[in-house]
Amino acid sequence: MDDHQLVKDCIKGKAAAQKELYHLFAGPMLGICYRYTKSIADAEDVLQEGFIKVFKNLHQYKFEGELGGWVRRIMVNTAINYLKKNRHYQSELLFTDDQLHVVAADNPEIRLGAKELSELIRQLPTGYQTIFNLHAVEGFTHVEIGEILGIHEGTSRSQYARARGLLITWIETKHRDVKTEWYARTKF
Amino acid sequence: MQEQNFEKQVRQKMEELSFTPSEPVWKKVEEEIRKKKDRRRLLFWLPFAFLLIGGGIWLLQTNTNQSNHLSKSTGQKNNTDHYNPSIEHKNLSTEKKTDAIEERKPATEDIKQQQQNNTYTGLTQKSISSTSLISANKNARKRRILSPEAISNETAPELKTDEETSQNKEYSKRDPLTEPGFEKPTIKADKNITTKDIITEAIQLPDTISKNNVPFSNKTDVDAGNKDVDTTHEKDVDTTNKIDPENKIAATDSSTTNKVSKLKNKNVSKWRFAFSASIGRSGVNEGLNVFGGGDKAFAYADANPLALNGPVVSYIRPSAPKKSSAFSFGLLIKKKLTRRTEFSSGLQYNFYSTEMLVGQNIQFNLTVNQSLRVPQFYSNAGTAFSPYRNKFHFISLPLAFDFQLLKKNPLDFHAGVSVQQLLKTNALLYSSTSGIYYNDNKAFNRTQVFSDFGINYSLPFKKKWSFQLGPTLSYGHSKMEKHSSNQHLFSYGMEAQFVFGRK
């Protein structure tokens, strides 16, 4: 079923169409939610809230752009709102670091799998994790991130630089660990 | 460039990230979306349910009234039913009737006494020969002949009345002797009676009988015959009191009909006319929270478009429409269904409006949403914003029921639906892609269905007028826009009605 027909059927309230739409995007959307949260349970909560919003506002989708992209936007907004409302994450979203951090020139090749990389991203402090996700993965500018999170553009840049630096360090450490392991396995 | 390379790799890796959510997630999502739909569905069906209940109550009341009328008319009919002799006899009211009965009674009693006398003479049929019987009963016969006199006295009024009634005339023409099933009454032998007497009596009896209105029975026993006579006399008296059963019933019917019609007039549904007007506020909402949610509803909010590999467009939030004034007026026709239920319909004009802030009005031909060309639009940018009123003009056909809540208080609960046709609107739509407000009347649903609820209190104004006042609430089940948004129009306020005609 193409997207147009699927959306129309979902708006009409057809249960089969709604289930199909859910199963079509649930997997990747859970991945997005997983990146923003610290646990799979929280990720599923965000996913649930996000899909309720998707079905509630599906009539607003005007077929401009891909359906997946529209659902993704809603999911990201839901994740951000979840972080803001959830007391476990609220404190970590208070950005106090005003020192400017320059983005490192390092540009390593990432030889980790998607899940490994996501685990590293999730290990970042919540503030860094959120800004990194919004800029590096979703593509928001620091101005927009500032508007979304209610912080200064400079704070966003600084936080992102620190997050990137940390992540690269962990990725390289991970590469070394993987190399050592491989070496150990092949030689011994 | 280097930065983008790392970010690009991260992005590509994250695109591959996918998990399978647990089963309860979908169940909860489904539950939530069905709940919202059910709530809206309930609201939609609520007025129809009221209509059905009201219709059912009306039908029930109508049937009850009909059965009550029938039972009353039947009761009255029974009182004057002449086909039941016992009842007829009881209900006789004319003097002649009573006189005839009084006259008859002694004769009947006399005959009975004579019969008893005959019996107590100790004569049996076996022992008495015909002549001896005749002779033995001579005196009795003579006395009995008297009874024919008495009978003739009885018949005298009968004769008079026989002449008067056409039915009696018909019967009088009949010859009972030739009537099928006719049998001569057996006469108990009386010693003193002569054959001549017997013959005379035999003749007399048929004569008497011929004057009776009731066909002769097959009873052969004199007693039975006498009884027949008694009853026939009674019947004769009944009939000979000038009242033909059919006529009497007809007369009763007419009186009953009059009474029934009077009763019906009291209960017959009356038509009343009313002029109604209401004033209040209206707004648009996405849910059921009519009073609190109207100002918070986003008309045309759009999510921020994300471009994975390019520049990002900033998110612009449009002005939320706020509640503004609403009013209506029209003519209603009301029909009383039961003592406490009334149905109303009519024609009304409804005005709704909402208010929002818009930027500068720009006179410029612009293509909106890749298809619609507009000659002018309002911006959603800058610092100079001014209020703009979205106006909606509807003509509506309301269908409603009014239920009187309390027996002794004229407090009514009003519930119904109205089909409203949008005549004209200047409402603005928002384009998230262009970030402007524009006008497109075709985007709105022209025909909308509303649920109407209210409570009104009637105050007698003049003899035939009454004034009703009370709060009212309307909710539109149809979406405002055809293709997007899930906004519904609603209004609340006070309604007044001048009603002509008594309830």
Side-chain angles (χ1 to χ4, degrees), chain B residues 182-403:
Chain B
F182 170 77
E183 281 181 37
K184 282 187 185 177
T186 55
I187 300 161
K188 282 183 181 174
D190 189 351
K191 282 179 182 177
N192 297 324
I193 203 162
T194 61
T195 313
K196 193 181 177 182
D197 292 337
I198 291 167
I199 292 166
T200 311
E201 196 169 351
I203 291 165
Q204 279 182 347
L205 281 170
D207 286 341
T208 312
I209 289 162
S210 70
K211 284 159 191 169
N212 292 340
N213 293 320
V214 180
F216 198 79
S217 67
N218 288 333
K219 289 179 183 177
T220 55
D221 188 15
V222 176
D223 294 342
N226 285 333
K227 281 181 187 173
D228 283 339
V229 168
D230 292 342
T231 54
T232 50
H233 277 307
E234 285 174 7
K235 283 181 185 173
D236 286 344
V237 169
D238 291 339
T239 56
T240 54
N241 274 290
K242 302 169 196 177
I243 300 164
D244 182 40
E246 286 183 5
N247 289 337
K248 180 141 192 187
I249 286 163
T252 313
D253 250 357
S254 64
S255 66
T256 313
T257 311
N258 286 335
K259 286 183 184 176
V260 166
S261 63
K262 279 181 188 173
L263 284 165
K264 272 187 180 177
N265 284 333
K266 284 184 186 175
N267 289 330
V268 147
S269 51
K270 269 186 178 179
W271 291 94
R272 299 200 297 164
F273 298 93
F275 173 75
S276 78
S278 72
I279 190 161
R281 289 177 72 74
S282 62
V284 286
N285 207 40
E286 283 189 22
L288 295 174
N289 189 2
V290 165
F291 296 103
D295 292 341
K296 292 176 191 172
F298 289 110
Y300 321 103
D302 197 1
N304 190 11
L306 292 172
L308 293 175
N309 299 313
V312 175
V313 177
S314 297
Y315 175 74
I316 302 164
R317 185 171 283 187
S319 168
K322 292 187 176 181
K323 290 193 278 287
S324 188
S325 60
F327 67 87
S328 75
F329 58 85
L331 289 168
L332 296 172
I333 188 165
K334 291 171 172 258
K335 184 172 179 177
K336 188 179 174 180
L337 302 174
T338 65
R339 211 163 38 161
R340 291 168 74 174
T341 317
E342 204 170 39
F343 172 76
S344 64
S345 183
L347 208 62
Q348 278 188 321
Y349 164 78
N350 290 73
F351 172 81
Y352 307 102
S353 65
T354 59
E355 209 171 87
M356 57 197 218
L357 290 171
V358 297
Q360 198 181 355
N361 176 243
I362 298 166
Q363 303 282 337
F364 183 76
N365 281 323
L366 185 72
T367 304
V368 180
N369 295 338
Q370 298 171 354
S371 55
L372 181 71
R373 199 155 177 83
V374 294
Q376 60 159 355
F377 57 91
Y378 292 85
S379 72
N380 190 32
T383 53
F385 283 85
S386 52
Y388 183 90
R389 213 158 157 216
N390 296 312
K391 297 174 189 173
F392 303 93
H393 305 266
F394 282 90
I395 188 150
S396 78
L397 176 74
L399 303 160
F401 281 96
D402 284 2
F403 303 96

Side-chain angles (χ1 to χ4, degrees), chain A residues 53-72:
Chain A
K53 283 184 186 176
V54 163
F55 287 113
K56 188 183 166 185
N57 296 296
L58 203 54
H59 57 275
Q60 291 186 21
Y61 175 61
K62 292 172 187 175
F63 302 100
E64 296 167 353
E66 281 185 22
L67 177 62
W70 185 81
V71 173
R72 185 195 182 112

Side-chain angles (χ1 to χ4, degrees), chain A residues 16 20 25 85 152:
Chain A
E20 190 183 329
F25 297 110
K85 287 177 192 173
H152 196 262

Side-chain angles (χ1 to χ4, degrees), chain B residues 10 12 16 46 71 94 157 160 171 176 224 228 261 282 336 338 341 356 371 393 400 408 416 434:
Chain B
V10 169
Q12 279 171 354
E16 296 165 21
L46 209 60
S71 63
T94 57
K160 287 179 190 173
Y171 276 115
D228 283 339
S261 63
S282 62
K336 188 179 174 180
T338 65
T341 317
M356 57 197 218
S371 55
H393 305 266
K408 292 179 182 178
S434 311

Side-chain angles (χ1 to χ4, degrees), chain A residues 13 15 18 22 27 35 44 48 59-60 64 72-73 105 107-108 110 112 114 136-137 139-140 144 160 164, chain B residues 2 5-7 9 11 13-15 18-19 21-22 25-26 28 34 37 301 304-306 312 433 485-486:
Chain A
Q18 287 171 341
Y22 170 81
R35 277 192 285 111
E44 284 190 342
Q48 184 186 311
H59 57 275
Q60 291 186 21
E64 296 167 353
R72 185 195 182 112
R73 286 194 294 274
N107 196 19
I110 303 172
L112 303 172
V137 184
F140 281 105
E144 285 162 345
Y160 177 73
R164 188 178 186 273
Chain B
Q2 285 173 344
N5 193 23
F6 174 73
E7 276 75 16
Q9 287 183 81
R11 219 171 282 146
K13 292 280 181 187
M14 291 300 102
E15 286 293 310
S18 179
F19 294 93
S22 56
V25 175
W26 167 241
K28 285 176 188 173
R34 293 268 170 269
K37 210 175 177 187
N304 190 11
L306 292 172
V312 175
T433 47
S485 109
N486 191 24

Side-chain angles (χ1 to χ4, degrees), chain B residues 6 33 48 119 131 178 269 290 320 454 457 467:
Chain B
F6 174 73
I33 55 179
F48 291 106
T119 311
T131 51
T178 58
S269 51
V290 165
Y457 191 82
F467 177 71

